[in-house]
Amino acid sequence: MDRHPDWMERLEAGGRLQSDRAPQSGELEPLIEAAGLDPALRQFRNFEMMRIIWRELNGVASLAQTMHDLSRLAEICLDAALQTHAARLSGLHGTPCGESGEPQAMAVIGLGKLGGGELNLSSDIDIVFGFPETGTCDGPRALSNERFFTRLARATIASLSEVTEQGFCFRVDTRLRPFGAAGPLVCSFGAMEQYYQREGRDWERYALVKARPVAGDRAGGARLLEQLTPFVYRRYIDFGAIEALQEMHESVRADAARRGRQNDIKRGPGGIREIEFLVQGFQLLRGGREPRLQTPSLLEALDQLQALALLPPDSTDALRRDYHFLRRLENAIQALHDQQTHALPAGEDLERVARAMGIQPAIGLESELARVRGHVNAHFNQQFPRLEAPGHEQPWRAEWRLLKSGERPVDEAPPGGQALATFLHSLDRLSLSARAWERLDRFMPRLFEQLSRQELPDAALSDVFRLVAAVCRRSAYLSLLVQNPRALERMIGLFAASDWLAETVIRYPALLDELIDPALGKALPSREEMEATAQRILESDDDTEASLQALNHMKLAFGLRTAVAELEAALTASQAQHTLTDLAETIIGACWQLAAREVAARHGQLPGPGLAVIGYGSLGARELGYSSDLDLIFLYEAGEATSDGERPLSAERFQTRVARRMLSYLTATTASGRLYSVDTRLRPNGRAGPLVSSVTAFERYQHQDAWTWELQALTRGRALAGEKAIGGAFRRIRADVLRLPRDAARVRADVVEMRQRMRRELGDEEPLKHGAGGLVDIGFVAQLGILEGAHEHPELLEAVGTVAQLEALGQAAWLEAGAVSSLIAAHETLTRTRHRARLTRASQPAPDPGAEVRAICARQLPTEASS
């Protein structure tokens, strides 16, 4: 202000001090014409910095606005330097062209705080230069593209960073490029992609999380970053990234201690870097599966972590507040002397910083800083515990060393017995990398310690060691369990309780990620959250195979959560059935969308209503179990129209292809397993009938040709996915058909005959389901009641599940209140016992449904077995 008193007057007169309008490139251009590039850059930068600092210190601008304005200022200066020098060099050497003769332009990728749009008042700008293709310039003094763009990059850096009598514009750091300072200053996109695929290291993945095109050919830069996405964000949950983060963080901590930077608010404990590491750790860990996390902005990533429930709201809110405090403090420190420092000053400068922060006296600022840093450090250590210090001798480490070397007989070993002996023998057949052995050596003592605290049956011990053997070569999972002792403890406890759960996790170790979540078994996803997850999967990937694999993982993960909740009594058996049904319906809807999209891509759009997916059986009744099949039929609206693609199809052929493709998706085997077994035999005419039925044909069949057992199935039918109008037509047909008056004696005789046939074919191989008074008997009683009573009581048709149907039959007086209560209680008990028999290791005594329930079923269904 002393040097340029007119600047403040200009800012006030233009309303710029109160306005959020960011720096504009149009205001730099006339300065370049008048004074030349380098003086203009410095004058423009200093003028805008006066405005930004004034607004920051007076609390007029938010932190987000300050960071945005600083980043925008850097982008404008970069672009101006790049364009000016590119025009000069092109005048000398011509336009750089690719092999096909297409003109080439350089892209500038911002990393670090520039890439995140989060520059501070004295930030370096971390940039990488790239160009699309090799080739040569088209002028008389032609250069190769690499030489042309290298000269352009050097000239741009000099214009920004050289110190003149007017100061400098921005310090430029290009050491994050491929091969670092030893590598070429500029690379082609192909060379960069090849480098990251072959040579890329973990710290470079962290750097690229914040990558963003900031100048030059931004469209080309965006294409480059899209090519590099698979390197940065892995499709699987990447636990190894966390180990790498811890190692980098330990290096930063050691460097801070060595250089006396413990009070550094950026690199010291609880500083800005720890918040960045924490957020970027989650981004790398899960960004491949959750594209919403693929953002260079730290604050946006925090918002997404909260939206995805990866961190609780109180944690993200606190981290957001701490980040704002530390970044504002960083700006206040750097505003003092325009120096790149992160250390809290002393004396008068400390008082000035405290005044800028609105905290006085200065001791209050120091106290608040200590509180914030303590909170950040505690939160970081909670999410990513520190690695062991060198030379740390953990209990049980010596035991593992002796066992591994064969010096200690297994029968004298920690808990494990024959299962441990089998595991040790299996290690001889595995070709483990040095990294895998290192992780295994870190993990096994922790496992022994946990096993020594718990009494596990031999089968559970065997499953624990089978899992360890299964993940040794994918040893990042061992890192997960080392870094999360509670997850290891939880895993062992669940393996002890459930052989089903153990077998599922052994087959699909990616489910270990679920054990980290403290809400496992408590907070289950709602139907809306399931559908949102499925939509993210469909929107994030055009690769059908990848979408199916992600849907399979979603099914496994949500199924695991449901099982744990039921095992820990947070869900009743019927609530678990409803949750599993919601999950199946969500996945059916996603597969229908995938199939419709694929068929339309080949054959065009079909005018008129689409396909509706109808669920029967336990799916329609919302009584799905952990390994239930899906009973499905498909309806469509017949018409004369054909699809509008190059290979048009009639409505029947179009919808048949959608249905077949959808069935293939539901039953296809992927690396994450198979979604479901599907049965379509309940369609009109069974296997002999067409896979898809027109609404008209379905209605005619139900009215004229359906057997009584098909009407029984219809009582549990429900529209699940697809065209809503066709689903509405199904509901109308169901109501119309089931409301028809019937010969009660004939209906009862048919239902009894079907029950006898089932007994002859299936016997009592599963007493809980097929025994006298079992689940099938109770279901048949409910279906019989609907068929007999719906004519006089159409309200019965609102119920599709067995319990809801029994309750409705009681209200209609078809069943006595006492009978309803007995049947519902038996249904719940049998369902719960059946689920626990499926989930747990302990043998479940088959409960007797009771003489009263058997008598009720025998009265309604007088079969030989029931009598």
Side-chain angles (χ1 to χ4, degrees), residues 542 544 590-607 610-611 634 642-665 691-692:
D542 292 331
T544 299
C591 288
W592 169 76
Q593 289 185 60
L594 272 178
R597 187 169 73 190
E598 290 282 327
V599 174
R602 288 172 175 264
H603 302 285
Q605 297 294 332
L606 180 70
L611 191 73
F634 303 94
T642 59
S643 61
D644 60 6
E646 293 182 3
R647 293 180 288 172
L649 296 175
S650 67
E652 181 179 9
R653 292 183 64 197
F654 186 97
Q655 302 301 358
T656 298
R657 294 202 180 184
V658 172
R660 283 180 177 160
R661 193 172 291 271
M662 177 182 160
L663 290 174
S664 74
Y665 294 160
L691 180 61
V692 300

Side-chain angles (χ1 to χ4, degrees), residues 419-431 465 468-470 472:
L420 175 58
T422 302
F423 168 70
L424 289 169
H425 182 68
S426 73
L427 289 179
D428 296 334
R429 301 192 302 272
L430 297 175
S431 299
F465 285 108
V468 179
C472 274

Side-chain angles (χ1 to χ4, degrees), residues 434-686:
R435 183 70 154 173
W437 274 113
E438 179 185 333
R439 288 169 170 168
L440 186 64
D441 289 343
R442 193 179 294 165
F443 168 74
M444 290 303 294
R446 287 173 165 77
L447 176 62
F448 288 158
E449 184 177 4
Q450 290 288 349
L451 292 178
S452 70
R453 298 175 185 170
Q454 302 188 41
E455 284 289 334
L456 264 66
D458 290 344
L461 276 173
S462 176
D463 284 342
V464 169
F465 285 108
R466 282 174 60 212
L467 174 68
V468 179
V471 302
C472 274
R473 281 184 289 189
R474 290 174 287 178
S475 58
Y477 292 117
L478 298 178
S479 297
L480 161 72
L481 295 172
V482 167
Q483 294 153 13
N484 295 273
R486 291 179 185 171
L488 176 59
E489 183 179 3
R490 189 78 179 277
M491 183 203 82
I492 293 173
L494 290 172
F495 272 38
S498 173
D499 53 347
W500 175 87
L501 189 145
E503 196 62 41
T504 302
V505 174
I506 290 168
R507 289 182 66 192
Y508 308 109
L511 292 173
L512 286 171
D513 172 55
E514 301 298 317
L515 301 178
I516 302 174
D517 190 348
L520 179 65
K522 300 183 183 70
L524 284 174
S526 65
R527 174 69 178 268
E528 292 73 21
E529 290 169 323
M530 291 180 187
E531 290 178 346
T533 300
Q535 284 305 309
R536 285 199 300 273
I537 290 170
L538 297 184
E539 292 167 5
S540 66
D541 211 320
D542 292 331
D543 182 348
T544 299
E545 184 178 347
S547 295
L548 287 178
Q549 188 162 329
L551 287 172
N552 269 278
H553 181 82
M554 170 187 162
K555 183 214 171 188
L556 289 169
F558 288 172
L560 177 83
R561 287 176 173 271
T562 305
V564 172
E566 189 174 358
L567 282 169
E568 297 180 348
L571 280 184
T572 65
S574 60
Q575 287 171 332
Q577 288 181 322
H578 290 170
T579 302
L580 293 170
T581 303
D582 283 343
L583 177 58
E585 288 186 50
T586 300
I587 290 173
I588 288 168
C591 288
W592 169 76
Q593 289 185 60
L594 272 178
R597 187 169 73 190
E598 290 282 327
V599 174
R602 288 172 175 264
H603 302 285
Q605 297 294 332
L606 180 70
L611 191 73
V613 187
I614 311 299
Y616 278 7
S618 58
L619 174 62
R622 293 181 57 78
E623 295 172 356
L624 218 57
Y626 290 97
S627 57
S628 296
D629 292 351
L630 305 183
D631 292 300
L632 300 177
I633 70 167
F634 303 94
L635 299 182
Y636 75 102
E637 188 69 67
E640 298 298 324
T642 59
S643 61
D644 60 6
E646 293 182 3
R647 293 180 288 172
L649 296 175
S650 67
E652 181 179 9
R653 292 183 64 197
F654 186 97
Q655 302 301 358
T656 298
R657 294 202 180 184
V658 172
R660 283 180 177 160
R661 193 172 291 271
M662 177 182 160
L663 290 174
S664 74
Y665 294 160
L666 286 168
T667 57
T669 300
T670 72
S672 299
R674 184 175 67 166
L675 287 169
Y676 293 99
S677 296
V678 180
D679 191 338
T680 61
R681 291 175 295 174
L682 290 176
R683 66 186 187 266
N685 294 309

Side-chain angles (χ1 to χ4, degrees), residues 31-258:
L31 292 178
I32 295 175
E33 292 179 6
L37 176 65
D38 290 7
L41 286 174
R42 283 148 183 77
Q43 181 180 338
F44 179 69
R45 180 261 188 190
N46 291 334
F47 178 79
E48 291 295 337
M49 286 292 285
M50 172 182 281
R51 169 189 171 269
I52 292 169
I53 293 174
W54 188 95
R55 283 167 51 81
E56 168 77 5
L57 295 182
N58 282 281
V60 176
S62 65
L63 174 66
Q65 189 69 50
T66 297
M67 294 190 301
H68 171 268
D69 286 2
L70 288 165
S71 302
R72 181 68 188 132
L73 175 60
E75 291 173 40
I76 290 170
C77 293
L78 254 174
D79 248 333
L82 199 70
Q83 290 171 16
T84 302
H85 288 298
R88 176 180 59 81
L89 288 169
S90 294
L92 295 172
H93 306 289
T95 300
C97 296
E99 299 295 339
S100 62
E102 287 290 317
Q104 304 286 296
M106 187 156 71
V108 183
I109 306 298
L111 302 172
K113 287 187 169 60
L114 176 59
E118 299 157 350
L119 280 186
N120 59 38
L121 291 180
S122 193
S123 286
D124 289 352
I125 55 173
D126 295 296
I127 54 178
V128 172
F129 297 100
F131 61 94
E133 298 177 19
T134 57
T136 57
C137 299
D138 61 5
R141 299 167 58 190
L143 296 174
S144 68
N145 286 356
E146 184 173 8
R147 290 184 64 194
F148 179 94
F149 288 123
T150 298
R151 292 186 183 185
L152 174 57
R154 285 175 177 159
T156 299
I157 292 170
S159 286
L160 293 172
S161 61
E162 285 183 356
V163 179
T164 71
E165 64 274 9
Q166 295 172 307
F168 69 101
C169 191
F170 285 97
R171 288 177 289 268
V172 178
D173 191 338
T174 61
R175 291 174 296 174
L176 295 178
R177 66 186 186 267
F179 297 106
L185 182 61
V186 181
C187 290
S188 70
F189 289 177
M192 291 176 77
E193 184 177 14
Q194 187 176 61
Y195 166 82
Y196 287 115
Q197 286 178 346
R198 294 183 179 181
E199 310 281 345
R201 290 157 288 181
D202 287 313
W203 69 262
E204 289 173 302
R205 291 179 61 202
Y206 278 88
L208 288 172
V209 165
K210 301 189 81 64
R212 178 174 64 92
V214 293
D217 181 7
R218 294 183 188 232
R223 290 195 303 273
L224 170 65
L225 293 182
E226 188 175 351
Q227 291 173 315
L228 299 182
T229 296
F231 167 70
V232 184
Y233 296 106
R234 309 291 163 82
R235 288 192 180 277
Y236 53 85
I237 301 294
D238 188 7
F239 301 115
I242 302 306
E243 190 174 63
L245 176 144
Q246 289 174 308
E247 291 172 352
M248 284 189 283
H249 186 249
E250 291 297 333
S251 175
V252 170
R253 276 176 166 153
D255 183 69
R258 186 170 58 252

